[in-house]
């Protein structure tokens, strides 16, 4: 554990280094629970960083699009920035056009989390979100555990309880580039997404409610395709997202950890597999990066310098009764797990 920096309030922000015997290394800060760096081997066994971010706390404090952060209370969008639960309407910040995005103005990505436990390979962070914070009902007691596993996985276990009925949808917003941590675009990475359907959106990126088959569309990644192959296709959904910025409905057989996606980077041989207990994953291709942010090692992050695979319940679920429920009630425990597992293909 080291000091990463200080908040304007004077509060200290810490950073932890988690490792395994195989040499994988994850650096995670208490600020936003952000994964600051993630070093994994390439096919020659050389370690390299595979996530975007900043060298210093200051970089994060200046503002950024959720690099590596824990996102909550509600990862992704809530349409019209409001929802009704048990007959009561809750108004949230409209911080993304007319919609609410990633928990609001000061979401979980901007909180300095408490350290609840730490050892060489794992870190448990806690945050208690007060009743009414960002407009959400209920005191939400949240706990997130990061573990670097012996088989080069970064496992993330999320847990939450509430004292009033509320909604919750936690995720991690790491931006991956398996080749060069964001120096060049991810268009040559090949991705498989284990989804027969996705949730098409309107022009403000709110799901229409339809679960549309991927068959015959640029969203069919059931067999691997280069990310760049159809990213500029003449397709309304691609236009709305400015590329991929969509939730996929994962093919699932049960409740446990199941494969959501697999990404292969041919130059380095690196492979990322995402396993999750969640029903969906947001595949976002860094369409809004525009070269203005200067990250680690002075790299300017250009459009599509990274991709995100945000495991989640579907966007706007609080307003879509037909989607899997995101309601958490007193006495229940919200629990989800996602693993980002790395390997190489020879
Ligand atoms: C959203 C994008 C957004 C990005 C950064 C993603 O989860 O789907 O639309 O630009 O996060 O905020």
């Amino acid at each position: 554990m080291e000091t990463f920096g200080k908040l304007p309030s004077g509060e200290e922000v810490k950073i932890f280094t988690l490792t395994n015997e195989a040499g994988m290394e994850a650096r995670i800060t208490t600020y936003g629970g952000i994964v600051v760096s993630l070093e994994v081997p390439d096919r020659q066994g050389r370690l390299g960083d595979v996530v975007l971010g900043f060298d210093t706390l200051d970089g994060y404090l200046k503002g950024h699009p959720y690099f590596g952060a824990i996102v909550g209370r509600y990862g992704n969008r809530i349409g019209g920035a409001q929802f009704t639960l048990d007959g009561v309407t809750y108004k949230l910040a409209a911080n993304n056009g007319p919609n609410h995005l990633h928990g609001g103005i000061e979401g979980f990505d901007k909180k300095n989390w408490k350290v609840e436990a730490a050892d060489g390979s794992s870190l448990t962070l806690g945050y208690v979100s007060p009743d009414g914070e960002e407009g959400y009902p209920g005191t939400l007691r949240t706990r997130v555990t990061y573990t670097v596993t012996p088989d080069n996985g970064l496992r993330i276990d999320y847990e939450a309880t509430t004292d009033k009925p509320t909604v919750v949808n936690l995720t991690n917003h790491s931006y991956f580039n398996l080749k060069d941590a964001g120096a060049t675009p991810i268009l040559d990475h090949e991705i498989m997404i284990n989804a027969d359907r996705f949730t098409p959106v309107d022009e403000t990126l709110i799901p229409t409610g339809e679960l549309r088959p991927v068959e015959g569309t640029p969203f069919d990644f059931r067999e691997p395709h280069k990310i760049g192959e159809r990213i500029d296709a003449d397709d309304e959904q691609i236009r709305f997202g400015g590329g991929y910025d969509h939730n996929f409905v994962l093919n699932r057989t049960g409740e446990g950890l199941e494969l959501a996606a697999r990404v292969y980077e041919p130059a380095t041989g690196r492979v990322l597999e995402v396993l999750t207990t969640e029903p969906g994953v947001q595949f976002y291709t860094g369409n809004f990066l525009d070269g203005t942010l200067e990250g680690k090692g002075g790299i300017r992050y250009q459009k599509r310098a990274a991709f995100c695979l945000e495991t989640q319940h579907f966007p706007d679920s609080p307003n879509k009764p037909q989607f899997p429920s995101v309601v958490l009630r007193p006495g229940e425990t919200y629990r989800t797990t996602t693993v980002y597992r790395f390997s190489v293909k020879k």
Side-chain angles (χ1 to χ4, degrees), residues 312-328:
Q312 61 185 2
H313 271 55
F314 308 166
D316 201 32
S317 294
N319 295 309
K320 298 275 189 308
Q322 69 272 39
F323 286 175
S325 173
V326 289
V327 175
L328 182 70

Side-chain angles (χ1 to χ4, degrees), residues 65-66 76-77 101-102 173 175 205 245 282 284 288 310:
Y66 304 89
N76 217 306
R77 291 174 175 79
L101 176 67
H102 293 334
H173 210 300
Y175 283 68
L205 301 186
D245 194 353
Q282 184 84 2
Y284 169 59
F288 297 115
E310 305 151 54

Side-chain angles (χ1 to χ4, degrees), residues 13-254:
V13 171
K14 298 184 176 72
I15 189 162
F16 288 77
T17 304
L18 310 182
T19 54
N20 66 7
E21 306 261 297
M24 175 176 168
E25 181 191 288
R27 286 167 64 241
I28 293 160
T29 173
T30 51
Y31 181 72
I34 291 171
V35 179
V36 172
S37 65
L38 192 56
E39 299 216 348
V40 301
D42 68 6
R43 64 159 76 85
Q44 264 82 48
R46 284 181 305 231
L47 289 178
D49 193 4
V50 293
V51 293
L52 274 53
F54 301 100
D55 290 314
T56 63
L57 177 64
D58 223 44
Y60 292 99
L61 294 180
K62 281 193 271 185
H64 65 105
Y66 304 89
F67 288 157
I70 299 170
V71 179
R73 293 188 188 190
Y74 199 93
N76 217 306
R77 291 174 175 79
I78 298 180
Q82 65 172 55
F83 65 94
T84 302
L85 177 60
D86 297 341
V88 182
T89 297
Y90 297 94
K91 298 219 182 285
L92 310 168
N95 59 333
N96 187 249
N99 305 319
H100 179 80
L101 176 67
H102 293 334
I105 309 288
E106 197 183 302
F108 289 6
D109 60 293
K110 296 183 187 69
K111 304 296 180 187
N112 194 25
W113 291 59
K114 294 254 168 319
V115 177
E116 295 198 347
D119 62 31
S121 63
S122 116
L123 170 67
T124 300
L125 298 173
Y127 176 66
V128 180
S129 175
D131 184 12
E133 188 175 43
E134 287 290 343
Y136 292 97
T139 311
L140 194 76
R141 296 181 174 276
T142 316
R143 182 177 288 154
V144 177
T145 299
Y146 286 104
T147 308
V148 168
T149 65
D151 59 348
N152 284 354
L154 178 65
R155 176 182 170 117
I156 314 178
D157 292 289
Y158 303 85
E159 215 181 276
T161 56
T162 183
D163 59 1
K164 285 185 191 160
T166 192
V167 297
V168 54
N169 191 30
L170 304 176
T171 193
N172 177 276
H173 210 300
S174 286
Y175 283 68
F176 296 99
N177 181 320
L178 303 182
K179 187 177 181 186
D180 52 27
T184 61
I186 40 73
L187 301 176
D188 283 342
H189 288 52
E190 294 167 16
I191 187 167
M192 182 284 295
I193 304 177
N194 183 20
D196 291 341
R197 295 171 298 172
F198 74 112
T199 51
V201 290
D202 67 17
E203 63 283 356
T204 73
L205 301 186
I206 296 297
T208 60
E210 183 195 353
L211 306 185
R212 185 179 293 173
V214 295
E215 176 98 55
T217 77
F219 296 84
D220 191 349
F221 287 105
R222 292 172 297 175
E223 295 296 324
H225 286 267
K226 284 197 189 301
I227 292 177
E229 188 184 320
R230 301 164 296 181
I231 201 167
D232 292 315
D234 182 13
D235 174 280
E236 183 180 67
Q237 286 298 312
I238 289 280
R239 256 193 317 279
F240 286 165
Y244 297 103
D245 194 353
H246 294 78
N247 172 67
F248 287 72
V249 178
L250 295 171
N251 299 333
R252 299 196 56 93
T253 58

